[in-house]
Amino acid sequence: MFKKRIIVCLDVKDGRTTKGVKFLNNVDIGDPVEMAAEYYRQGVDELVFYDIIASARGRGPILELISNVAKQVFIPFCVGGGIKTIDDIRDTILAGAEKVSLNSPAVRNPELISEGAKIFGSQCIVLGMDVRKDSSKPSGYGTTINGGRVDTGLDALEWAKKAVSLGAGEIVLNSMDADGTKEGYDIELTRMISEAVSVPVIASGGAGKPEHLTEVLTEGKASAALIASMVHSKAYTVGSIKDELSKAGVPVRY
């Protein structure tokens, strides 16, 4: 049976891990290198590292920090933020990442997805989506970029399908309405995108307790669940979350 993945997200700003609610009021919560090592020890399946201000500031990825994190973890490691060119993708992979997440740059230049997939393989190219409810869109959801600051005008469902047709091998689907609230994932959104595309969808935004992961991995049809606050707050460990999922009948990797 296909096992579900638990992925921890480190949002990084000025070299430090940070956490906010709905992309606002971010506070410093620690050193990303130390935190990556700790989550690896706890048995996380993958790690995602987002430089949350790179796109807004117009700079590229922080390769030294990426390399330092990569040395601590021997699991798939995905990096997003500031990756605008094929050279940026190459440099990030050479620094130790297995995958790159393209969000704002993919909207501005969709060819980056197809070129990246052609050169590095679809498995390396992850589409990052920051999605908000928007009743003016056919699917009921719109897409934003620049850390949620800019509305793209794109319908979330149409953009997900287009990106996959261009070569994206995975989607990290972040609900901005749920982000950091700890009140649960947007199940309707996750299921809609998961059923519409042929690649794995990682649910993001809103996890507060293991039941939320159970719900999104079953009813929401997500392949993986991304968490941050739950483990950053030390309310749970990766292991304790996997135990709860396993008890609920969700197949996980140990």
Side-chain angles (χ1 to χ4, degrees):
M1 194 173 180
F2 188 69
K3 294 194 171 166
K4 303 289 189 174
R5 291 170 289 152
I6 307 301
I7 302 172
V8 169
C9 176
L10 301 175
D11 284 334
V12 177
K13 179 180 178 184
D14 298 325
R16 301 283 294 175
T17 307
T18 177
K19 191 71 196 101
V21 176
K22 299 187 182 180
F23 286 37
L24 299 169
N25 305 322
N26 286 70
V27 292
D28 184 322
I29 55 171
D31 173 27
V33 179
E34 289 170 9
M35 292 173 77
E38 174 56 28
Y39 296 134
Y40 177 64
R41 276 195 295 275
Q42 290 183 18
V44 74
D45 298 311
E46 295 188 23
L47 198 68
V48 174
F49 170 115
Y50 286 131
D51 187 327
I52 61 171
I53 52 173
S55 283
R57 288 187 179 169
R59 64 158 169 73
I62 308 172
L63 299 173
E64 187 183 2
L65 186 56
I66 293 164
S67 173
N68 289 338
V69 170
K71 286 171 188 159
Q72 299 294 326
V73 299
F74 302 93
I75 48 174
F77 171 40
C78 178
V79 173
I83 298 169
K84 300 183 288 296
T85 65
I86 291 297
D87 284 343
D88 288 338
I89 296 174
R90 184 179 287 109
D91 290 344
T92 303
I93 291 170
L94 288 173
E98 275 78 18
K99 309 176 186 180
V100 295
S101 177
L102 305 175
N103 189 330
S104 308
V107 170
R108 293 196 187 98
N109 176 22
E111 279 184 8
L112 189 59
I113 299 172
S114 47
E115 282 291 297
K118 197 162 71 185
I119 296 168
F120 304 103
S122 281
Q123 79 286 349
C124 287
I125 307 299
V126 178
L127 178 74
M129 293 179 66
D130 291 324
V131 174
R132 250 197 205 109
K133 285 181 180 162
D134 182 345
S135 57
S136 72
K137 299 290 187 290
S139 70
Y141 292 89
T143 308
T144 70
I145 56 171
N146 277 19
R149 296 174 192 89
V150 178
D151 182 1
T152 63
L154 292 169
D155 177 78
L157 181 59
E158 286 310 307
W159 174 229
K161 291 199 285 200
K162 182 180 177 187
V164 170
S165 74
L166 289 169
E170 199 164 53
I171 293 173
V172 174
L173 181 64
N174 188 41
S175 162
M176 294 195 58
D177 303 299
D179 182 76
T181 62
K182 304 185 193 173
E183 288 167 11
Y185 297 91
D186 186 328
I187 303 300
E188 184 189 347
L189 167 67
T190 309
R191 183 169 51 234
M192 176 180 72
I193 302 290
S194 296
E195 288 178 340
V197 298
S198 56
V199 301
V201 172
I202 299 164
S204 170
K209 54 188 181 180
E211 291 83 353
H212 293 151
L213 282 81
T214 299
E215 194 182 12
V216 84
L217 293 168
T218 54
E219 292 168 45
K221 303 197 173 173
S223 296
L226 190 135
I227 55 175
S229 308
M230 282 178 76
V231 285
H232 295 342
S233 65
K234 301 190 168 56
Y236 299 91
T237 63
V238 174
S240 71
I241 294 167
K242 285 189 175 183
D243 288 344
E244 292 296 325
L245 289 172
S246 192
K247 276 186 215 156
V250 178
V252 292
R253 300 173 181 181
Y254 278 101

